[in-house]
Amino acid sequence: MGKELKRMRYFDGLFLNAEDYKLDQDFYLRLQRLHNRYLHTWGIVCGLKVLPLVDQAEYMKVKIAEGLALNQVVAEDPSSGKRESISQEILMYEGHPDNPVDLSEYNANESIYIWVSYEEVEAERNIERGQGQEIHIWERGKIGHGTVKPGGTDKILLARVVPRKQDNGIVIDSACIFDYDSDAARTPLRTYAGAAGKKLVTEKLVIKAKSEDSMDSTELNEAALAAMPSVYTLQEGKMLEVNAKETHFTGAISIAGDLTLEGELILQSKDKSQSEMRIMNSFVEVNSPNTDDPDYEFPGPRDGGLEVYRGDGGTHDARIVWVEADQCFKAGIGSDLKKIAYGNEWDSLIKYEFADLLHRHSKLSSPGGLSFGFTGADKVYSDADLALKDDKILWLKGTNPDTIDSSHGLGWFGTGKPFAAAAVDGPVLFGGSGGVLGTRTVNSDGSRTDKPVLSWNKNGYVGVGPQKVLEDSLDVDGSVRILSGRNPVRFTSAWTGFPDNQINGAEISNDITDHKALMIVGNQSAGQGRKVAVWDRLDVNGFLYVNGKMQASQEIIPSAGNGAHNGIIFPANPGGGGSDLAWIKYYPRTGEDCTLEIGTSNDGSDHISLNASGNVGVGTLTPADKLDVAGELRVLSGQNPVRFTSRWSGFTSQSVNNAEISNDTTSYNSLMIAGNGKSGSRRVSIWDNLDVNGFLQVNGGALIKGDLQIQGSIKTDVFNFAGKFKKLDVAEEFAAIVRCADFYIGYPGRRGAPGRALVDNGSHLVLNYGNDWSYASVHSSLEVRNALIPSAGSGNNGIIFPSDPGGGSGDSAWIKYYPTSGENCVLDIGVSNDAGDRIYLHASGGVYANGSMYWWSSRELKDNISDIPVKEAKQLLDGLNPVSFKYKGSTKQRTLGFIAEEVPAVLADPDQRAISGMDIIAVLTSVMKDQQKAIARMQKQIDTLKGA
């Protein structure tokens, strides 16, 4: 019975931890499961019917109705190692994640068993309450299915599903779902749970004859009680006691002990009731009591028999009695009994006084004149039908004419009398070494012609045609036709063209004359020419030659390996050359590492070409370009390899010949082009124009042999320009030195003299030109070492960015600071003009709000307001995968959240780069409200079960 029962003892001041609460949970859970185990049987309690989906689009899915079942398993206590048998509740509820069940992986006419088992699932991960762990455990049913019927009591069988074919494919409807197995006995699959125990006592069973609506309690009188069912009392070790005027049993009754009847035995057939007792294939022992010795019922051999009571005190009762003194049976009326005898004893007994010479045992006649007798040659003949009782055998004489050879005969075999260990339930013709069935023709000259039609030998082999040595279970000498009259199949030794003569005919011919092949030719009923279909595995150990087209609706699985004849080997030398080959092979290299090899030989003119009207993908099913490689790519392998990677791998350090192009988003966050080190250090050369439209950062030296055009900014501590600088209308040539702290433009030989600003982007930079102040437009970066103080106000104040940078109309951006009422102020950061304009906040350390943060949510700002469907909310919640991560550049080592590219699109921005917390809160609220409803329903069901 397992370990002891132990629960918590509570009192004031007691310190509790999680293990204490778990102990109480385990106590009541174990007590309930022991109650289920020993007071109920395992099986279905209620519901759990297997139903087809009404939606025709889901024609290979079924649904398990709500319900409850009990299993029976042996559980082991991990602390003590003790084992005990328990019973767990298997609950299927509305919205169960396993429903509906997709059975599209199975074929038509395949028996699929559906069952449920017990499952515990940790759920509802909670960061605040559970420190990132699941805080609940779901106890629920788990739906399983397969083609092998499971055994044991841990899985509860629900039904057997057999999909069927129809015009639009394979479907499952109500006619495809069975509650019984496919065997001949139609074994039930659904087992129902109920009360269990070794003793059942029912002291009183009362069922009202009428409902309370149609009668008051005073109408339940003695007459009504007399018409009620029987009252039963059944106790262990005692008999069943029935105290009623009449008791009905509608099922089979099995009695292991004595059966005593104190009254008449009435057997009722379909149309009448009669007093009789019919016993088949058994013995009835009949005897009379020994009145001389009342202590012994049957002390020794005595007379006894059967009597048909005829109602006149026994004078005319019909009797069959065993007379112990005469050691024979006698039969007759009343006391006039005659000895029962047959054969020669009967002839001598009656002294031929009841039969003439023609009606003795040599000949039998019937009222119709038919006879059975012997010929002059001592052969038995019959002018009437010869019938043997179903348990008799007609034995034939063997080699000894004076004895019966029990190895030859004709008889009936069935239940209780098997033939070859089988209840044949029919006639059997058998012989010691076999036999023949044939025809005989008497010729005009008195001779005869015998033709064997069917023969068999002692090994059980059967032959059709001329008798010969049989070497197979069935040996047919000649053509064979089966299914004649419907869809005939003909077996021939030479091709006859049988399928050409009728659309439903087929032929299998072992032709050695014309085609010299075993020919399997199908019928023409498909309307597309003759057709042969193989529905299961076809093994061809030799050469398979297909003269026409070959189409496979499922996989073509060639052999695996790197041998000369493995994989797919195309015909050699299709162009007439020598040693030209092509192949597709799949084989292991080392361990479980395998390679799919596509190759050609014999010279450099043999090619492999991929011709695709769309794109070609490697490692992806949806290529986005003419060649799309989902993974690393290496070209020129074996010569000067170039590797394309998604993360810097240091490939160039492995060999001076190696180069790498890496779209690194992990360490360097850059598109990296690393050259080979053949010249002594890695080197990348660009032999044509290089346009840099963004920021150019040079961490080492820069050698520029031609003109340098810069459209963006140059940021460096010191910029040494050794070439010529020419801009706008300035005709002079300058040598320039630019430093971050100072900006100098000077003529040659006049270093440090003030010069002009040669930059322009629409803003202005004030420079000291000699003793005057002037404005220069800023085209490159502007660095402000101290505070930049814009104006305040809500008009054209603050920082106003240039409008329409994308070429649109009405696009603007600003940062303003202005009062709203009194001394209350607002920092206004805004963009306009459409939904594509956004504000990005980049803060590696996070964004803080010292106060409340609100989202605009007024109904006045919204259109198309509707509730979120619960099904959609659950699907969105299932699409969320919480992860932990670290923002690049952030000082915080661990952050919890989601990956924007992986969440459902409705929860992210249009670029799938950011997520909406408000949308996620709406999804969680919808799912939690639905779960609260489900919990309320379950609590109501639990309260109902407790009340029952």
Side-chain angles (χ1 to χ4, degrees), residues 649-677:
S649 66
F651 182 65
T652 56
S653 62
Q654 299 176 14
S655 172
V656 296
N657 292 349
N658 295 353
E660 182 173 355
I661 299 176
S662 178
N663 186 17
D664 185 277
T665 61
T666 304
S667 301
Y668 299 97
N669 299 327
S670 172
L671 174 63
M672 305 173 64
I673 303 176
N676 65 66

Side-chain angles (χ1 to χ4, degrees), residues 356-681:
D356 55 25
L357 293 177
L358 296 178
H359 292 83
R360 298 182 184 176
H361 282 233
S362 61
K363 180 176 290 187
L364 298 177
S365 299
S366 67
L370 302 177
S371 64
F372 175 82
F374 298 92
T375 66
D378 291 334
K379 293 184 178 180
V380 179
Y381 72 93
S382 174
D383 293 334
D385 293 338
L386 181 62
L388 298 177
K389 294 190 69 174
D390 55 6
D391 60 348
K392 300 301 180 183
I393 296 176
L394 177 62
W395 296 103
L396 305 178
K397 285 189 175 182
T399 56
N400 187 349
D402 297 328
T403 61
I404 296 298
D405 190 343
S406 60
S407 61
H408 305 283
L410 171 64
W412 177 93
F413 293 83
T415 304
K417 186 179 180 182
F419 183 85
V424 179
D425 196 15
V428 176
L429 175 64
F430 55 92
S433 299
V436 174
L437 296 178
T439 61
R440 169 173 290 181
T441 303
V442 179
N443 303 318
S444 58
D445 58 356
S447 62
R448 72 187 190 196
T449 302
D450 298 338
K451 291 184 179 179
V453 176
L454 184 68
S455 62
W456 61 93
N457 61 19
K458 62 181 180 180
N459 295 324
Y461 297 166
V462 177
V464 178
Q467 188 178 16
K468 60 180 181 179
V469 176
L470 301 177
E471 299 177 348
D472 289 290
S473 295
L474 177 63
D475 191 339
V476 180
D477 190 351
S479 300
V480 177
R481 184 177 302 188
I482 59 177
L483 300 175
S484 183
R486 292 186 292 176
N487 302 321
V489 180
R490 191 180 189 196
F491 293 80
T492 63
S493 60
W495 168 246
T496 65
F498 181 66
D500 297 332
N501 300 327
Q502 48 186 332
I503 62 172
N504 62 339
E507 182 173 352
I508 300 176
S509 178
N510 187 17
D511 186 279
I512 60 172
T513 305
D514 298 323
H515 301 282
K516 296 181 174 60
L518 174 62
M519 305 173 63
I520 303 176
V521 184
N523 63 67
Q524 306 179 57
S525 62
Q528 301 174 350
R530 296 192 303 251
K531 185 176 179 181
V532 175
V534 178
W535 290 94
D536 292 301
R537 173 171 173 167
L538 175 64
D539 289 338
V540 179
N541 294 322
F543 182 74
L544 175 63
Y545 176 74
V546 180
N547 194 24
K549 296 180 179 179
M550 184 173 70
Q551 177 180 344
S553 61
Q554 296 188 24
E555 299 95 337
I556 297 178
I557 305 176
S559 60
N562 197 21
H565 302 289
N566 294 105
I568 299 175
I569 309 297
F570 294 91
N573 307 317
S579 301
D580 289 326
L581 289 175
W583 62 86
I584 302 175
K585 299 181 180 180
Y586 185 54
Y587 54 86
R589 301 190 313 277
T590 57
E592 63 177 9
D593 298 333
C594 300
T595 294
L596 175 65
E597 178 182 332
I598 304 175
T600 62
S601 67
N602 160 46
D603 50 52
S605 296
D606 294 329
H607 305 311
I608 296 176
S609 176
L610 297 177
N611 294 311
S613 58
N615 299 329
V616 176
V618 178
T620 175
L621 297 175
T622 56
D625 286 291
K626 202 64 180 179
L627 177 62
D628 190 343
V629 180
E632 316 297 339
L633 174 65
R634 185 179 301 190
V635 297
L636 300 175
S637 183
Q639 296 174 322
N640 301 322
V642 180
R643 190 181 189 197
F644 294 81
T645 63
S646 59
R647 181 176 181 177
W648 171 247
S649 66
F651 182 65
T652 56
S653 62
Q654 299 176 14
S655 172
V656 296
N657 292 349
N658 295 353
E660 182 173 355
I661 299 176
S662 178
N663 186 17
D664 185 277
T665 61
T666 304
S667 301
Y668 299 97
N669 299 327
S670 172
L671 174 63
M672 305 173 64
I673 303 176
N676 65 66
K678 196 68 175 179
S679 62
S681 62

Side-chain angles (χ1 to χ4, degrees), residues 78-155:
S79 59
S80 64
K82 295 182 179 180
R83 298 163 61 87
E84 64 183 353
S85 181
I86 61 173
S87 183
Q88 301 163 317
E89 297 93 343
I90 301 173
L91 177 66
M92 295 298 299
Y93 52 87
E94 182 180 357
H96 192 284
D98 288 355
N99 259 332
V101 185
D102 188 356
L103 302 178
S104 58
E105 62 183 280
Y106 299 100
N107 300 320
N109 303 320
E110 192 171 16
S111 287
I112 309 164
Y113 295 95
I114 309 292
W115 64 82
V116 291
S117 57
Y118 175 80
E119 181 183 40
E120 290 187 3
V121 180
E122 295 181 352
E124 300 178 6
R125 186 190 305 270
N126 192 298
I127 297 176
E128 295 181 358
R129 297 170 57 194
Q131 302 179 8
Q133 301 186 45
E134 292 81 357
I135 64 173
H136 291 136
I137 295 178
W138 282 350
E139 292 191 46
R140 63 187 185 188
K142 180 180 181 182
I143 302 175
H145 51 83
T147 56
V148 179
K149 182 169 64 175
T153 58
D154 59 327
K155 297 179 178 66

